[in-house]
Amino acid sequence: MVPEDRKYAASHEWIKMDGDTALIGISAFAVTELSNGNEGDMVYCDLPEVGRVLATGETFGEIESVKAVGDLNAPVGGEVLEVNTSIEDHLEILCDDPWKAGWLIRIKPETTDWGHLLDAEAYEGTLAEQA
Amino acid sequence: MPYIQNTDADRSAMLAAIGVRTLDDLFEQIPEELRLKRPLDLPAGLSELELKELLSERASWNSRGEQGSFLGGGVYRHFTPAVVDALQGRQEFVTAYTPYQPEASQGTLTAFFEFQTMIAELTGMEVANASMYDGASAAVEAVFLAAAVRRGRRKVVVSAALHPHSLRTLRTSLAWTELELVSAPLDESGRTRFDDCVDADTCAVLVQNPNFLGVIEDLDQVAACATEVQALPIASVYPTSLGLLRPPGDAGFAVVVGDGQGLGLPQALGGPSFGIFAVRQEFVRRMPGRIVGETVDRAGRRGFVLTFQTREQHIRREKATSNICTNNALAALRGAIYLAAAGPQGLAEVAHHCHAKATYAAQAIAALPGFSLPHGTDAFFNEFLVRCPVPAAQVNRALDKCGLIGGLEVAQVCTTPDALGLDEHHLLLACTETTSRMSIDRLLATLAELAPRTGAAGSDDASRPTTHQEA
Amino acid sequence: MNPDLLLFEKSSPGRRTLRLGALDVPQPDLTRLPAGALRLAPPALPEIGELDLVRHYTRLSKKNMSIVDSFYPLGSCTMKYNPVLHEEAAALPGFTDIHPWQDAGRLQGALAILRDLERDFAEISGLPCVSLHPAAGAQGELASLLVARAYFAERGEGERTTVLIPDSAHGTNPASAAVAGMRAVTVVSAADGGVDLDDLKTKVGADTAVFMITNPSTLGLFEERIAEIADIIHDAGGLIYMDGANLNAIMGITRPGDFGADMMHINVHKTFATPHGGGGPGAGPICVTEALGPYLPLPRIVEDENRLRLSEEAPDSIGMLRGWAGNFSVLLRAWCYLRRLGPEGIRRVSENAVLNANYLRARLRERWHVPFDRLCMHEFVANTRFQREAGVHAIDVAKRLIDLGHHPPTIYFPLVVPEALMMEPTETETRETLDSFVEDMLRIADECDQTPELVKQAPTTTPVSRLDEGRAVKQPVLRFRAE
């Protein structure tokens, strides 16, 4: 089950309002796909500088396992306010808790109109197709 | 059929298991109109005996210069201990694939880990990869690395005395990029002068040591010149020379590349060899090619794996650091076995012999009337430039009559001979530990016969063209 | 001494294997060399005597799985038998001790072999102009893309910089396009595993330079619509590049030049039985049409008055991508292979490669899911769909096969099939070998049902068990350092 308190991009990023800013992360499915279910296989995460302004859909970083690499795309544009630096050295956080402690960046969203994104049910539907 | 073991009975049984009647039925996917309706027009197949006869005949059309060779220019005739052939030739190494399944490839992986360590030690660098194709292509990859690290800078400054194949390879590879190739000239001593060419738009400074004309470059000065503008200094080395000469890592170079042929590989018409690629630790993620790393298995035992694979084309595709896939692993293994056989003392001894033989030849040639050494007798490793009183081709023909392979008619192979002050009278001569004193003495005797009689030396000097540096 | 130690750990000061005799010329005066030229400290290479050196590498060789000891059905790699005669041929002094810049009159044997090979490859590919220069397949791809760029520039069509690449392609295709400064655009696969023509049509245009196709594809399927695809690309003014990785399936049966390809590379270390060597050296000759011939790399083999020579001059050539004419001693092995087999043998190679692959597929398909289950060419892709409930992944199957004495198939490729097991048995294997592999695959299928932990713990018979690849990246140790 994926949390219903946020929106999803088809490329597996989630975004969630947290006060008047928004957190962005990736779904448990994406983590499992990358790591093959083996948390030790997650090896590298490249996150943007604070202050960078992202456009919707823009690639803001990369995440790597030993055998795969995934682009991180901004589901919604906005200025990067904070980066979860603890992730870079402790990728297991991403495997253990992708929905909360495993957030990647905090942005000031340029819009709160997230109509282009998927809700939890629709996102789960796309996962069923890929399985 | 050679090498196919299926019998007609096998084929019948297998076709039945598949559920088709004939071999042709297996190709039903290929549209009829695209099929080849005739046999391939190739020579008829031979038995092993017949092929061996043909091989002997073809091999006999090639000449090896039985009395010795003075030809170098990037490919040298070195001695290889018999253990190198015997061990590299083991079919478990020869017929394995790239070690993507580490548990079934610890032999190759361990050997590459040792290879990386030896190359790092040899070049004075922190890390090395598991080899590239050759020296010329490795130089291009080093330039691409520098361009990526110094994104936005467009100038690649290279010594005019880079090997002409490295220069041509760079030109081809950079043709469709934003990078601009700038050639740094030589001074009268034969060393490259980078100072006037390097600026804040420069991402890479590439020098070959010894350079193509055999001259030992001032590595400290080159590195300082590059570092001053935050460009990456890159050196291309002749690995044998590092038994005697200063490794670029000690002079602060960012990347060291080179061609491994001298480390136990035959000349073999120029290939295959392997490329050396070593960097400072900070550039590991930008490195092209395969890298082996140490890790542990589930029981905590040491083991080796291909690592940082996400840099590579099979994962990162168009964003990879390079398109290289198959490299020159077996040739690199040969290099590793050679270096292990040599050890520090053996390699120093080989380098010392190369230098001693060349010095003996050079000093004697410099004393012959009409012959001169434009860069002197004190600034080379094992290869030196000679200006002859007669065309170099004529010298080589005379040597050929004695069973010797002469030197390189260097103006013919350089892309810009005029800029290097080279003409048809210049000959580049190389010696290695395999060059016997007898061969050198025979060379000297032949050259002496070509020397002008008394008084002619002066007229030769008059015919000597002025180089651009002198002008 | 622990035989598993590294050379550096076995090293002892003063030992060595290579020793030269006394110097027969005077000692040079090293102080005359320029200041700063000399090495101050010797490199810390291992110091080891000859017997222990022999034991070290002999022991390492036994830690490898290779064609000479195991079935090696590695998809898209064509791990066929590498005839031992080739090693003997390549070691003949007349082929090893020759310098590429020595007088061409003294190289006629070597040059004749290269000239023969150019003709052979032209005939097999149906593309008349050949360069043996590229060091490997990926360099052949790059050379060909640069040839295409030069060709378009000459025609005033320099804006053609897009390279269309199917999603099932090898990673080298898009990587080579990037190195050539071109834009890689992915074309998706259709439901039948071939190229989706509708998607292709939306992506082809005035900017299309090259369409790169692997035919048969990495799924082991011949692209039946290849003629239509060629028309689409050619009508748009583009060129077709054929990735020759799978040439082993079609030799003497159909020719890339006849089905519309304008350029291709050949992996001689796959199709023409030269050894893989643990990852090279291979060779990646390219074959192109007459129109593209002038742009091929240097040097060229030219013939004047019955004398062959290497020429480094050709006005329209793209230049060089490496030193020298090519990997000669690798090419020499391919020449031996072609001479032994002749035209009939070459066709038999493809027939038996396709036969062996289909036999394997037919025998495995009940227990191992084959997503595109129809007649295949020289390879096919299965996966672990039937084993999903057991929680067994492709990598587990691969490791278990190692325990049972077989090299695994290619796994997780092509990317379009999840959990892929890509199998290419090659023509040189016997029915008995294939049967024994099938029996072990069926055994693994049973184990997945009954004792999946056994499969997930594999391998247990190898010098090491599964290795922590994450640690190798996070705590990189890329060289030995003395404590």
Side-chain angles (χ1 to χ4, degrees):
Chain A
M1 290 299 285
V2 307
E4 293 177 356
D5 60 352
R6 60 196 79 192
K7 295 280 194 142
Y8 298 86
S11 52
H12 307 293
E13 294 85 3
W14 55 256
I15 183 164
K16 173 182 186 287
M17 284 309 289
D18 183 48
D20 53 3
T21 61
L23 296 175
I24 292 174
I26 59 172
S27 73
F29 177 84
V31 175
T32 309
E33 279 290 285
L34 277 167
S35 67
N36 239 331
N38 183 358
E39 72 174 40
D41 280 3
M42 300 299 295
V43 292
Y44 183 70
C45 186
D46 181 31
L47 295 174
E49 303 268 310
V50 169
R52 185 169 147 195
V53 179
L54 304 170
T56 300
E58 186 178 342
T59 300
F60 65 80
E62 270 185 351
I63 186 154
E64 282 183 25
S65 70
V66 292
K67 292 282 167 60
V69 54
D71 279 342
L72 300 168
N73 305 309
V76 174
E79 186 187 345
V80 179
L81 302 175
E82 192 184 350
V83 171
N84 189 354
T85 47
S86 59
I87 291 281
E88 291 178 25
D89 293 324
H90 296 280
L91 285 156
E92 63 277 7
I93 297 173
L94 212 48
C95 303
D96 297 342
D97 186 8
W99 305 118
K100 207 167 158 209
W103 65 275
L104 299 173
I105 57 173
R106 181 188 293 280
I107 66 165
K108 181 167 190 244
E110 63 187 12
T111 170
T112 48
D113 176 10
W114 295 354
H116 62 290
L117 296 173
L118 306 168
D119 62 20
E121 190 184 345
Y123 176 65
E124 279 205 307
T126 67
L127 300 186
E129 280 169 33
Q130 289 178 44
Chain B
M1 271 310 139
Y3 316 131
I4 295 173
Q5 304 185 79
N6 284 337
T7 62
D8 286 341
D10 289 328
R11 275 185 281 271
S12 301
M14 293 165 82
L15 288 169
I18 297 165
V20 297
R21 284 182 46 248
T22 68
L23 285 172
D24 265 359
D25 293 346
L26 294 172
F27 293 93
E28 63 168 30
Q29 300 171 56
I30 302 180
E32 186 59 32
E33 64 277 14
L34 300 181
R35 307 258 191 112
L36 187 65
K37 308 289 193 312
R38 59 169 177 82
L40 286 169
D41 182 15
L42 299 173
L46 302 175
S47 70
E48 182 167 338
L49 175 62
E50 289 166 330
L51 176 54
K52 285 186 81 160
E53 285 163 359
L54 182 59
L55 278 163
S56 302
E57 187 194 353
R58 290 286 172 93
S60 75
W61 296 353
N62 300 326
S63 161
R64 299 160 49 209
E66 303 290 346
Q67 301 302 321
S69 170
F70 295 92
L71 190 52
V75 172
Y76 303 91
R77 181 187 282 183
H78 283 291
F79 166 70
T80 303
V83 283
V84 176
D85 268 326
L87 296 174
Q88 178 258 292
R90 286 188 65 88
Q91 291 290 299
E92 296 91 336
F93 290 131
V94 172
T95 71
Y97 187 68
T98 303
Y100 286 129
Q101 295 288 342
E103 302 87 350
S105 317
Q106 283 300 299
T108 295
L109 287 163
T110 308
F112 283 156
F113 184 78
E114 293 174 338
F115 169 82
Q116 289 171 186
T117 309
M118 290 188 237
I119 294 300
E121 285 291 341
L122 194 61
T123 54
M125 301 300 284
E126 286 170 319
V127 289
N129 75 4
S131 86
M132 307 299 291
Y133 301 129
D134 71 348
S137 58
V140 171
E141 296 277 10
V143 165
F144 283 150
L145 182 150
V149 170
R150 296 283 179 265
R151 190 166 298 284
R153 296 185 176 209
R154 293 191 179 183
K155 263 169 81 172
V156 175
V157 182
V158 303
S159 162
L162 218 52
H163 192 288
H165 288 176
S166 299
L167 272 174
R168 286 175 184 274
T169 302
L170 276 162
R171 244 181 243 162
T172 301
S173 306
L174 302 190
W176 302 98
T177 67
E178 308 234 296
L179 300 172
E180 178 200 358
L181 208 52
V182 176
S183 177
L186 307 188
D187 64 18
E188 63 278 9
S189 72
R191 294 181 180 198
T192 313
R193 293 291 305 263
F194 284 103
D195 354 13
D196 294 341
C197 305
V198 169
D199 59 25
D201 195 30
T202 305
C203 61
V205 172
L206 174 55
V207 70
Q208 177 178 324
N209 193 46
N211 70 27
F212 185 63
L213 301 180
V215 177
I216 298 171
E217 296 274 3
D218 187 338
L219 293 183
D220 289 301
Q221 202 190 17
V222 177
C225 182
T227 310
E228 196 179 303
V229 295
Q230 274 102 46
L232 264 56
I234 304 167
S236 174
V237 295
Y238 170 22
T240 308
S241 74
L242 296 178
L244 184 70
L245 300 186
R246 185 149 188 241
D250 287 7
F253 275 73
V255 188
V256 179
V257 296
D259 194 280
Q261 183 267 330
L263 302 177
L265 282 114
Q267 304 177 82
L269 204 72
S273 171
F274 66 88
I276 287 168
F277 201 101
V279 297
R280 292 206 299 257
Q281 185 79 36
E282 64 195 282
F283 302 128
V284 167
R285 284 188 162 272
R286 300 278 189 183
M287 201 154 49
R290 289 164 182 158
I291 304 174
V292 174
E294 180 183 315
T295 187
V296 294
D297 75 355
R298 287 178 174 177
R301 288 173 294 197
R302 176 167 69 186
F304 301 94
V305 294
L306 290 177
T307 191
F308 292 110
Q309 288 194 61
T310 49
R311 298 166 298 112
E312 294 186 70
Q313 48 76 28
H314 63 280
I315 293 174
R316 204 175 286 254
R317 299 175 80 83
E318 66 271 22
K319 292 182 190 161
T321 53
S322 164
N323 69 331
I324 194 167
C325 176
T326 284
N327 57 341
N328 281 26
L330 196 64
L333 173 70
R334 220 179 145 83
I337 299 171
Y338 175 89
L339 285 171
Q345 294 181 32
L347 190 73
E349 188 178 39
V350 170
H352 190 74
H353 277 226
C354 290
H355 181 63
K357 309 256 185 179
T359 301
Y360 171 68
Q363 288 176 347
I365 293 169
L368 289 174
F371 287 86
S372 62
L373 271 63
H375 305 134
T377 58
D378 302 332
F380 59 82
F381 168 60
N382 75 325
E383 194 160 22
F384 54 93
L385 190 66
V386 176
R387 191 158 197 287
C388 308
V390 296
Q394 191 183 330
V395 177
N396 279 345
R397 276 196 299 275
L399 293 169
D400 184 72
K401 288 202 181 96
C402 314
L404 290 167
I405 294 179
L408 183 63
E409 293 159 37
V410 64
Q412 275 195 21
V413 302
C414 283
T415 52
T416 53
D418 295 345
L420 293 167
L422 299 170
D423 64 31
E424 60 168 4
H425 286 255
H426 283 105
L427 192 63
L428 189 66
L429 292 169
C431 295
T432 71
E433 76 283 5
T434 68
T435 316
S436 69
R437 180 172 188 153
M438 196 188 292
S439 298
I440 298 173
D441 288 345
R442 201 167 275 156
L443 165 81
L444 297 173
T446 309
L447 296 187
E449 280 173 30
L450 294 168
R453 304 295 168 216
T454 330
S459 66
D460 174 59
D461 278 348
S463 72
R464 183 176 177 169
T466 47
T467 65
H468 70 294
Q469 292 93 353
E470 291 163 339
Chain C
M1 182 173 63
N2 175 357
D4 289 325
L5 292 177
L6 295 174
L7 277 171
F8 306 96
E9 295 160 324
K10 294 173 179 172
S11 176
S12 180
R15 291 202 182 118
R16 61 167 147 158
T17 298
L18 193 164
R19 277 173 210 278
L20 299 176
L23 194 57
D24 61 0
V25 296
Q27 290 287 347
D29 177 7
L30 295 179
T31 61
R32 291 166 38 256
L33 285 174
L38 289 175
R39 178 162 206 138
L40 300 176
L45 298 173
E47 301 187 67
I48 192 150
E50 186 158 339
L51 173 58
D52 279 8
L53 185 70
V54 169
R55 283 194 183 139
H56 182 76
Y57 282 103
T58 302
R59 190 171 167 84
L60 286 188
S61 75
K62 291 178 179 173
K63 293 184 181 180
N64 268 6
M65 215 166 207
S66 68
I67 296 174
V68 294
D69 55 47
S70 311
F71 179 47
Y72 218 119
L74 198 63
S76 259
C77 299
T78 316
M79 302 298 285
K80 63 173 73 179
Y81 172 60
N82 305 143
V84 289
L85 169 68
H86 298 180
E87 302 307 303
E88 199 177 303
L92 289 172
F95 294 133
T96 57
D97 204 11
I98 48 174
H99 192 292
W101 271 339
Q102 75 190 55
D103 179 58
R106 304 277 194 214
L107 290 172
Q108 292 299 296
L111 297 179
I113 283 169
L114 296 180
R115 196 259 331 261
D116 284 357
L117 257 191
E118 287 188 353
R119 290 181 181 167
D120 296 343
F121 289 154
E123 169 65 5
I124 291 167
S125 67
L127 292 163
C129 301
V130 177
S131 167
L132 304 173
H133 178 76
Q139 199 172 69
E141 292 173 11
L142 176 59
S144 301
L145 292 173
L146 294 175
V147 163
R149 289 205 80 157
Y151 165 79
F152 286 126
E154 180 85 20
R155 292 163 57 96
E157 298 178 62
E159 74 283 0
R160 291 189 181 272
T161 55
T162 299
V163 183
L164 302 172
I165 301 171
D167 54 10
S168 59
H170 296 108
T172 51
N173 290 183
S176 297
V179 176
M182 303 171 92
R183 193 166 70 96
V185 172
T186 303
V187 178
V188 301
S189 296
D192 65 358
V195 175
D196 184 327
L197 291 196
D198 292 334
D199 192 48
L200 178 65
K201 284 175 193 161
T202 66
K203 286 169 179 166
V204 78
D207 64 335
T208 303
V210 178
F211 178 61
M212 297 179 92
I213 185 165
T214 309
N215 193 20
S217 72
T218 58
L219 293 165
L221 304 173
F222 191 85
E223 179 53 73
E224 297 179 35
R225 293 160 299 214
I226 183 66
E228 199 182 332
I229 290 170
D231 285 345
I232 292 170
I233 300 298
H234 289 150
D235 288 349
L239 297 169
I240 303 262
Y241 180 80
M242 154 94 173
D243 180 327
N246 294 340
L247 182 63
N248 208 46
I250 57 169
M251 288 189 293
I253 303 206
T254 180
R255 306 193 305 170
D258 296 344
F259 61 63
D262 302 289
M263 320 182 266
M264 77 172 293
H265 79 257
I266 289 171
N267 299 98
V268 304
H269 45 293
K270 297 179 181 175
T271 318
F272 295 98
T274 74
H276 281 73
I286 56 174
C287 312
V288 303
T289 58
E290 287 291 354
L292 298 171
Y295 307 101
L296 285 174
L298 298 171
R300 304 277 177 76
I301 301 160
V302 292
E303 184 163 2
D304 25 49
E305 292 161 20
N306 290 326
R307 184 176 176 275
L308 298 165
R309 65 183 173 87
L310 291 169
S311 165
E312 294 189 3
E313 299 302 328
D316 295 324
S317 167
I318 58 165
M320 299 181 87
L321 286 159
R322 51 161 296 172
W324 316 111
N327 283 348
F328 171 71
S329 57
V330 175
L331 294 162
L332 167 65
R333 290 172 170 89
W335 179 86
C336 290
Y337 184 70
L338 279 155
R339 294 290 75 78
R340 278 284 272 137
L341 287 160
E344 197 192 341
I346 288 292
R347 186 186 162 102
R348 292 271 172 210
V349 163
S350 291
E351 287 174 352
N352 284 276
V354 172
L355 175 72
N356 279 359
N358 275 292
Y359 179 71
L360 210 53
R361 181 187 55 83
R363 291 214 54 200
L364 290 174
R365 56 192 290 273
E366 299 276 313
R367 299 294 304 281
W368 292 92
H369 179 59
V370 177
F372 302 95
D373 190 18
R374 51 189 168 100
L375 281 179
C376 63
M377 299 298 284
H378 67 306
E379 69 186 357
F380 66 98
V381 178
N383 73 3
T384 55
R385 176 181 244 178
F386 298 161
Q387 287 72 32
R388 192 193 291 159
E389 276 187 23
V392 171
H393 293 280
I395 193 165
D396 303 317
V397 177
K399 303 303 184 195
R400 184 65 184 137
L401 276 168
I402 294 173
D403 271 345
L404 299 176
H406 309 287
H407 194 280
T410 297
I411 53 175
Y412 301 110
F413 187 84
L415 307 175
V416 292
V417 174
E419 297 284 336
L421 296 161
M422 183 195 207
M423 306 194 195
E424 179 183 9
T426 85
E427 74 282 359
T428 56
E429 301 294 342
T430 61
R431 176 157 66 112
E432 291 88 336
T433 298
L434 303 183
D435 284 340
S436 114
F437 176 76
V438 167
E439 279 155 28
D440 286 329
M441 281 297 286
L442 300 181
R443 171 176 166 179
I444 294 172
D446 286 341
E447 289 171 352
C448 290
D449 293 341
Q450 295 151 17
T451 53
E453 278 311 304
L454 179 70
V455 182
K456 287 187 231 176
Q457 289 306 317
T460 58
T461 59
T462 43
V464 288
S465 60
R466 279 194 214 184
L467 291 154
D468 186 346
E469 298 192 34
R471 173 179 161 135
V473 179
K474 284 180 280 193
Q475 301 167 44
V477 180
L478 308 179
R479 59 176 290 187
F480 175 80
R481 281 191 196 276
E483 292 292 315

